[in-house]
Amino acid sequence: MIYRFPSYVPGIAIAIAVLAASIGALLLWKRQPMIIALIAFGVSAVAGGLFAPMLAMDRVVLDDQKLEQTTGFWFAPTVKGFRLAEVASIAIGTARNRKNREYEVWIVKRRDGQVEEIDPGDLWEMNGQDIIRRLREKGIDVRR
Protein backbone atom coordinates (compact mmCIF):
# COMPACT_ATOMS: atom_id res chain seq x y z
CA MET A 1 0.00 0.00 0.00
CA ILE A 2 1.30 3.44 -0.89
CA TYR A 3 -0.12 6.47 0.90
CA ARG A 4 0.17 9.93 -0.65
CA PHE A 5 -1.33 13.33 -0.02
CA PRO A 6 -4.46 14.03 -2.09
CA SER A 7 -3.61 15.96 -5.27
CA TYR A 8 -5.25 19.12 -3.96
CA VAL A 9 -2.63 19.45 -1.19
CA PRO A 10 0.35 20.16 -3.48
CA GLY A 11 -2.17 21.97 -5.70
CA ILE A 12 -2.71 24.51 -2.91
CA ALA A 13 1.03 25.23 -2.85
CA ILE A 14 1.03 25.62 -6.63
CA ALA A 15 -1.96 27.97 -6.46
CA ILE A 16 -0.17 30.08 -3.83
CA ALA A 17 2.92 30.20 -6.07
CA VAL A 18 0.91 31.32 -9.09
CA LEU A 19 -1.01 33.89 -7.07
CA ALA A 20 2.16 35.32 -5.50
CA ALA A 21 3.91 35.50 -8.89
CA SER A 22 0.87 37.25 -10.36
CA ILE A 23 0.85 39.75 -7.52
CA GLY A 24 4.57 40.36 -8.01
CA ALA A 25 4.09 40.93 -11.74
CA LEU A 26 1.16 43.28 -11.10
CA LEU A 27 3.22 45.26 -8.60
CA LEU A 28 6.04 45.61 -11.11
CA TRP A 29 3.60 46.65 -13.84
CA LYS A 30 2.04 49.31 -11.57
CA ARG A 31 5.54 50.50 -10.63
CA GLN A 32 5.09 49.79 -6.95
CA PRO A 33 8.12 49.53 -4.63
CA MET A 34 10.48 46.82 -5.91
CA ILE A 35 10.92 45.24 -2.46
CA ILE A 36 7.23 44.29 -2.24
CA ALA A 37 7.34 42.68 -5.70
CA LEU A 38 10.50 40.78 -4.73
CA ILE A 39 8.81 39.49 -1.57
CA ALA A 40 5.89 38.24 -3.68
CA PHE A 41 8.29 36.51 -6.08
CA GLY A 42 10.12 35.00 -3.09
CA VAL A 43 6.86 33.58 -1.72
CA SER A 44 6.15 32.18 -5.18
CA ALA A 45 9.57 30.52 -5.38
CA VAL A 46 9.28 28.95 -1.92
CA ALA A 47 5.72 27.70 -2.44
CA GLY A 48 6.29 26.44 -5.97
CA GLY A 49 9.92 25.36 -5.76
CA LEU A 50 10.06 23.87 -2.27
CA PHE A 51 6.68 23.06 -0.82
CA ALA A 52 4.73 21.86 -3.86
CA PRO A 53 7.33 19.23 -4.88
CA MET A 54 7.81 18.22 -1.24
CA LEU A 55 4.11 17.57 -0.78
CA ALA A 56 3.80 15.82 -4.15
CA MET A 57 6.74 13.49 -3.42
CA ASP A 58 5.85 12.57 0.19
CA ARG A 59 4.80 8.95 0.52
CA VAL A 60 4.44 6.14 3.00
CA VAL A 61 4.96 2.60 1.70
CA LEU A 62 3.66 -0.43 3.60
CA ASP A 63 4.37 -3.71 1.85
CA ASP A 64 5.31 -7.23 2.91
CA GLN A 65 8.88 -6.17 3.73
CA LYS A 66 8.76 -2.70 5.25
CA LEU A 67 6.97 0.38 6.50
CA GLU A 68 8.87 3.35 5.11
CA GLN A 69 8.20 7.06 4.80
CA THR A 70 9.98 9.35 2.38
CA THR A 71 9.45 12.98 3.31
CA GLY A 72 11.18 16.34 3.27
CA PHE A 73 12.55 18.58 0.59
CA TRP A 74 12.95 17.08 -2.89
CA PHE A 75 16.68 17.77 -2.92
CA ALA A 76 17.34 16.17 0.50
CA PRO A 77 14.62 13.63 1.37
CA THR A 78 14.39 11.95 4.75
CA VAL A 79 13.59 8.24 4.87
CA LYS A 80 12.38 6.62 8.08
CA GLY A 81 10.73 3.36 8.94
CA PHE A 82 11.55 -0.25 9.64
CA ARG A 83 11.67 -3.72 8.14
CA LEU A 84 8.69 -5.82 9.25
CA ALA A 85 10.71 -9.02 9.72
CA GLU A 86 12.83 -7.30 12.39
CA VAL A 87 9.88 -6.10 14.52
CA ALA A 88 8.83 -7.82 17.75
CA SER A 89 6.22 -5.21 18.76
CA ILE A 90 5.22 -1.58 18.35
CA ALA A 91 3.93 0.78 21.03
CA ILE A 92 2.42 4.10 19.98
CA GLY A 93 2.65 6.89 22.51
CA THR A 94 3.57 10.51 22.92
CA ALA A 95 6.75 12.39 23.70
CA ARG A 96 7.61 16.03 24.31
CA ASN A 97 10.06 18.14 22.38
CA ARG A 98 12.31 20.90 23.75
CA LYS A 99 9.47 23.40 23.53
CA ASN A 100 7.35 21.05 25.68
CA ARG A 101 5.02 20.29 22.77
CA GLU A 102 3.56 16.82 22.59
CA TYR A 103 3.96 14.70 19.47
CA GLU A 104 3.17 11.10 18.48
CA VAL A 105 5.99 8.58 18.57
CA TRP A 106 6.16 4.96 17.42
CA ILE A 107 8.38 2.88 19.68
CA VAL A 108 9.57 -0.10 17.66
CA LYS A 109 11.00 -3.00 19.64
CA ARG A 110 13.12 -5.19 17.39
CA ARG A 111 13.57 -8.94 17.71
CA ASP A 112 17.24 -8.40 18.64
CA GLY A 113 16.20 -6.26 21.65
CA GLN A 114 16.99 -2.85 20.18
CA VAL A 115 14.38 -0.12 20.57
CA GLU A 116 13.88 2.69 18.08
CA GLU A 117 11.67 5.75 18.44
CA ILE A 118 10.18 7.00 15.19
CA ASP A 119 8.46 10.36 14.88
CA PRO A 120 5.99 9.72 12.05
CA GLY A 121 5.33 12.52 9.62
CA ASP A 122 1.94 14.06 8.90
CA LEU A 123 1.14 11.65 6.07
CA TRP A 124 1.96 8.64 8.29
CA GLU A 125 -0.18 10.04 11.12
CA MET A 126 -3.08 10.83 8.76
CA ASN A 127 -3.17 7.18 7.71
CA GLY A 128 -2.21 5.78 11.10
CA GLN A 129 -5.38 3.80 11.74
CA ASP A 130 -5.16 2.01 8.39
CA ILE A 131 -1.44 1.37 8.84
CA ILE A 132 -2.04 -0.09 12.32
CA ARG A 133 -4.81 -2.33 10.98
CA ARG A 134 -2.61 -3.60 8.15
CA LEU A 135 0.35 -4.22 10.49
CA ARG A 136 -1.88 -6.22 12.82
CA GLU A 137 -3.12 -8.25 9.84
CA LYS A 138 0.53 -9.07 9.13
CA GLY A 139 0.88 -10.43 12.68
CA ILE A 140 2.69 -7.50 14.28
CA ASP A 141 1.67 -6.58 17.82
CA VAL A 142 0.74 -2.87 17.80
CA ARG A 143 -0.38 -1.19 21.01
CA ARG A 144 -1.75 2.34 21.40
Side-chain angles (χ1 to χ4, degrees), residues 115-135:
V115 177
E116 179 183 7
E117 285 190 12
I118 299 174
D119 177 11
D122 293 336
L123 185 59
W124 185 329
E125 287 181 13
M126 284 173 43
N127 296 287
Q129 293 294 67
D130 189 55
I131 292 170
I132 290 168
R133 181 184 59 79
R134 291 175 187 270
L135 287 171

Side-chain angles (χ1 to χ4, degrees), residues 16 22 32 59-61 75-76 90 106 110 134 140:
I16 290 170
S22 300
Q32 296 297 315
R59 66 188 184 128
V60 176
V61 176
F75 53 85
I90 300 170
W106 285 44
R110 299 184 187 281
R134 291 175 187 270
I140 296 176

Side-chain angles (χ1 to χ4, degrees), residues 37-81:
L38 290 176
I39 290 171
F41 287 128
V43 168
S44 176
V46 169
L50 290 178
F51 289 111
M54 177 179 69
L55 293 168
M57 293 173 62
D58 269 14
R59 66 188 184 128
V60 176
V61 176
L62 174 58
D63 59 24
D64 290 336
Q65 287 79 40
K66 68 188 176 304
L67 173 59
E68 182 179 88
Q69 179 175 21
T70 304
T71 187
F73 297 112
W74 54 269
F75 53 85
T78 301
V79 179
K80 52 184 148 181

Side-chain angles (χ1 to χ4, degrees), residues 82 87-92 106 128 131-137 139-144:
F82 49 85
V87 175
S89 65
I90 300 170
I92 301 171
W106 285 44
I131 292 170
I132 290 168
R133 181 184 59 79
R134 291 175 187 270
L135 287 171
R136 286 178 176 154
E137 288 173 358
I140 296 176
D141 178 30
V142 182
R143 287 176 254 127
R144 268 204 176 264

Side-chain angles (χ1 to χ4, degrees), residues 4-40:
R4 296 182 184 276
F5 284 114
S7 58
Y8 69 83
V9 174
I12 291 170
I14 292 169
I16 290 170
V18 169
L19 180 63
S22 300
I23 290 170
L26 179 66
L27 291 170
L28 284 178
W29 183 65
K30 291 201 171 225
R31 301 192 188 275
Q32 296 297 315
M34 179 66 82
I35 189 71
I36 298 172
L38 290 176
I39 290 171

